[in-house]
Amino acid sequence: MLEKIKIKRVVGIGCIWTLTFVLTGCSFLSNNPKQVAENKKVVAGPAAPVEISFWNPFGGGEGEFVERIVQDFNTSQKDVYVKQLRLESNEYYVKLSTALSSGKGPDVAVAHVDRMSPFVKAKQIMPLDELASEVGFDFKDLEESNVRSVSFMSKPYALPLDTHFHMLYYNKAIMKKAGLLNEDETPKLAMSTPEAFIQMLQQIQATVPNVEPFAVNTPYFQEPFLNMYYQAGGELLDVSKAKVTIHNDKSLRVLKFYQQIYASKLSDLNDKTPWDTFHNGKAALWMGGVWEAGYHLSESSLPAGIMPLPTLFGSSMQWGSSHTLVIPSYVTKDKQRAAMTFMSYFSKVGSMLWGQAGHVPANRAVLQSQAYKQLPYRKLFIEAQHQVKFAPQTDNYATMFTTLSEELQSIVMGGMDPEEGLVQLEKKMNSVLAN
């Protein structure tokens, strides 16, 4: 909406001389309608910014970084104003799906890459290639793997912001007490096989009692499971993407590996907040997200270090995801351009701040900048990024992922036989895929 500036008209017998330089051909006040219209057009004020709503699920430290990016964008120009709305992460996709279905909601929104497929199929979000060209954004400036992950029918349907995945955090003080810290403060980890890794954990257990050798993300066990399953060369779907193929020797080996760790008390099966256990100095190792880097490294009482995940099952492949920005199909043309302008800014400028939060930027210029590489451990992040395996593009992935989470919990927490559990897991996931 354009906001017009009210202009006081000069009423008098003659024109003030200064107006002759503003109003073309003014030697007297004209009653000619055409002349009056032209005069109004010349002296009309600037347009008000186009206001767009931005939905995201970011809280805590991540939310603070996003808030700064939005504020910086709003003050950097006067054409677009972004009004953000943060939603609780556990209800975010329910509300976003409802908004997209009803045609009433945000003008730009965050969507994880593995959540995009059903939105694309329902034509609820729009392709961005033409719109990007209109505002001068080039998808070639992004990491190729990120662009591939958001492309359907050879068109990008989102602007990927990052790649996020897990690294191995370690407590330097505990590792030193266990005799497992090098002079350069990197850990001496036996990482060639699951058996060697368990022996190393047993050394920590024997030399540093009263701490958890390895804090495992049992509350969200599907993530540490997929890390090792992908290392072993596992896939969730077959080549046709029509069938789940998770009941196999690879997944069985991974489950037995974790079950042995729990059974040997090398990890606490009942630890509901393992990320806090590590943060409070009560665990030697923690397989946590890169987005936690700022949280752990900023704690002065925690001598934390970071390294890539141990390669235990034959490769360095690991689970990962990506935050993206999407534009709903119901958004009007002027707001589409405004939204794309904001998205372009987030990628080109805001990504430096976003990178400080721990995520690995998808924007290649930011990723390769010295400013980013000089942040702690970021060179390791960049190397690990290339080993990430994104979710398969399927409309049912969100439900499949929930089923995977629930059934793995039954196996791990319920003490179910892993072979029997995998049979049941594959059956239920195939049922989800079929429907």
Side-chain angles (χ1 to χ4, degrees), residues 5-251:
I5 297 177
K6 295 182 179 179
I7 302 173
K8 294 182 179 179
R9 298 190 178 187
V10 179
V11 180
I13 298 175
C15 287
I16 298 175
W17 273 104
T18 53
L19 287 177
T20 63
F21 295 97
V22 179
L23 304 178
T24 305
C26 178
S27 58
F28 56 91
L29 289 176
S30 173
N31 290 322
N32 185 297
K34 182 177 180 181
Q35 182 67 55
V36 172
E38 289 177 355
N39 292 347
K40 286 184 178 180
K41 182 177 180 180
V42 173
V43 298
V50 177
E51 182 175 302
I52 58 173
S53 61
F54 169 41
W55 284 17
N56 67 79
F58 299 122
E62 287 182 315
E64 294 174 8
F65 282 103
V66 171
E67 186 172 343
R68 287 172 58 188
I69 293 170
V70 171
Q71 289 177 348
D72 289 349
F73 172 74
N74 285 339
T75 58
S76 70
Q77 44 74 55
K78 297 181 179 180
D79 296 325
V80 181
Y81 181 82
V82 175
K83 184 178 181 180
Q84 74 158 331
L85 175 64
R86 289 188 203 165
L87 300 173
E88 292 297 325
S89 58
N90 60 349
E91 61 183 22
Y92 180 74
Y93 283 104
V94 173
K95 292 189 174 181
L96 179 60
S97 296
T98 300
L100 294 177
S101 298
S102 64
K104 295 179 181 179
D107 301 305
V108 58
V110 167
H112 284 79
V113 67
D114 45 51
R115 294 279 189 158
M116 287 180 55
S117 186
F119 299 151
V120 173
K121 183 177 181 180
K123 299 182 179 180
Q124 293 173 338
I125 59 176
M126 59 182 295
L128 302 178
D129 49 337
E130 294 182 4
L131 193 58
S133 298
E134 291 180 21
V135 302
F137 183 83
D138 193 341
F139 276 91
K140 292 180 180 179
D141 293 337
L142 306 179
E143 287 288 284
E144 185 179 345
S145 59
N146 287 105
V147 177
R148 217 170 31 241
S149 71
V150 301
S151 295
F152 297 78
M153 297 159 287
S154 302
K155 289 180 178 292
Y157 276 75
L159 193 160
L161 297 177
D162 60 51
T163 305
H164 52 270
F165 46 89
H166 293 125
M167 299 287 284
L168 188 68
Y169 292 81
Y170 58 93
N171 185 305
K172 297 176 183 178
I174 295 175
M175 298 302 287
K176 186 174 183 179
K177 287 181 182 179
L180 294 169
L181 196 70
N182 295 310
E183 291 184 4
D184 62 356
E185 295 193 324
T186 59
K188 301 175 183 177
L189 294 186
M191 300 184 295
S192 56
T193 64
E195 294 74 21
F197 187 74
I198 287 175
Q199 288 177 3
M200 181 269 301
L201 294 180
Q202 291 171 336
Q203 182 175 336
I204 297 174
Q205 186 182 55
T207 55
V208 191
N210 303 320
V211 302
E212 201 173 340
F214 183 29
V216 176
N217 196 355
T218 311
Y220 300 94
F221 182 70
Q222 69 276 9
E223 294 178 3
F225 168 80
L226 286 176
N227 281 328
M228 297 298 109
Y229 181 58
Y230 286 158
Q231 276 194 8
E235 297 283 352
L236 288 181
L237 303 179
D238 64 7
V239 177
S240 69
K241 296 184 180 180
K243 184 180 179 181
V244 175
T245 57
I246 199 169
H247 176 212
N248 53 52
D249 290 341
K250 298 180 180 69
S251 55

Side-chain angles (χ1 to χ4, degrees), residues 165-412:
F165 46 89
H166 293 125
M167 299 287 284
L168 188 68
Y169 292 81
Y170 58 93
N171 185 305
K172 297 176 183 178
I174 295 175
M175 298 302 287
K176 186 174 183 179
K177 287 181 182 179
L180 294 169
L181 196 70
N182 295 310
E183 291 184 4
D184 62 356
E185 295 193 324
T186 59
K188 301 175 183 177
L189 294 186
M191 300 184 295
S192 56
T193 64
E195 294 74 21
F197 187 74
I198 287 175
Q199 288 177 3
M200 181 269 301
L201 294 180
Q202 291 171 336
Q203 182 175 336
I204 297 174
Q205 186 182 55
T207 55
V208 191
N210 303 320
V211 302
E212 201 173 340
F214 183 29
V216 176
N217 196 355
T218 311
Y220 300 94
F221 182 70
Q222 69 276 9
E223 294 178 3
F225 168 80
L226 286 176
N227 281 328
M228 297 298 109
Y229 181 58
Y230 286 158
Q231 276 194 8
E235 297 283 352
L236 288 181
L237 303 179
D238 64 7
V239 177
S240 69
K241 296 184 180 180
K243 184 180 179 181
V244 175
T245 57
I246 199 169
H247 176 212
N248 53 52
D249 290 341
K250 298 180 180 69
S251 55
L252 191 60
R253 285 183 62 210
V254 170
L255 282 176
K256 288 182 176 180
F257 163 70
Y258 281 113
Q259 284 187 327
Q260 184 177 350
I261 286 175
Y262 290 130
S264 303
K265 306 298 182 182
L266 300 172
S267 183
D268 183 0
L269 182 64
N270 298 309
D271 189 351
K272 305 300 182 184
T273 56
W275 45 88
D276 286 336
T277 301
F278 177 80
H279 190 75
N280 295 330
K282 299 298 184 180
L285 302 173
W286 160 241
M287 196 183 293
V290 290
W291 58 91
E292 300 174 33
Y295 174 59
H296 295 313
L297 297 180
S298 64
E299 178 55 63
S300 58
S301 63
L302 177 65
I306 306 174
M307 63 175 291
L309 296 186
T311 303
L312 306 179
F313 290 89
S315 79
S316 298
M317 296 303 295
Q318 64 182 94
W319 170 89
S321 188
S322 170
H323 295 110
T324 78
L325 296 177
V326 299
I327 300 177
S329 299
Y330 57 73
V331 176
T332 59
K333 184 62 180 179
D334 59 333
K335 291 195 173 187
Q336 287 176 16
R337 290 178 60 89
M340 194 70 218
T341 299
F342 167 62
M343 291 159 64
S344 176
Y345 176 92
F346 200 129
S347 177
K348 294 178 179 179
V349 181
S351 283
M352 190 63 229
L353 273 176
W354 194 230
Q356 292 177 25
H359 301 287
V360 179
N363 188 290
R364 195 175 296 110
V366 176
L367 184 66
Q368 295 177 353
S369 69
Q370 286 303 311
Y372 177 75
K373 290 180 179 179
Q374 288 172 359
L375 294 173
Y377 300 101
R378 283 346 188 249
K379 290 183 179 180
L380 293 177
F381 288 13
I382 293 172
E383 293 174 9
Q385 173 202 18
H386 298 296
Q387 306 302 323
V388 166
K389 188 179 186 67
F390 289 118
Q393 289 184 338
T394 171
D395 300 343
N396 297 318
Y397 183 77
T399 309
M400 284 174 51
F401 196 72
T402 300
T403 303
L404 178 69
S405 172
E406 293 172 348
E407 293 303 309
L408 286 174
Q409 285 289 319
S410 297
I411 296 172
V412 174

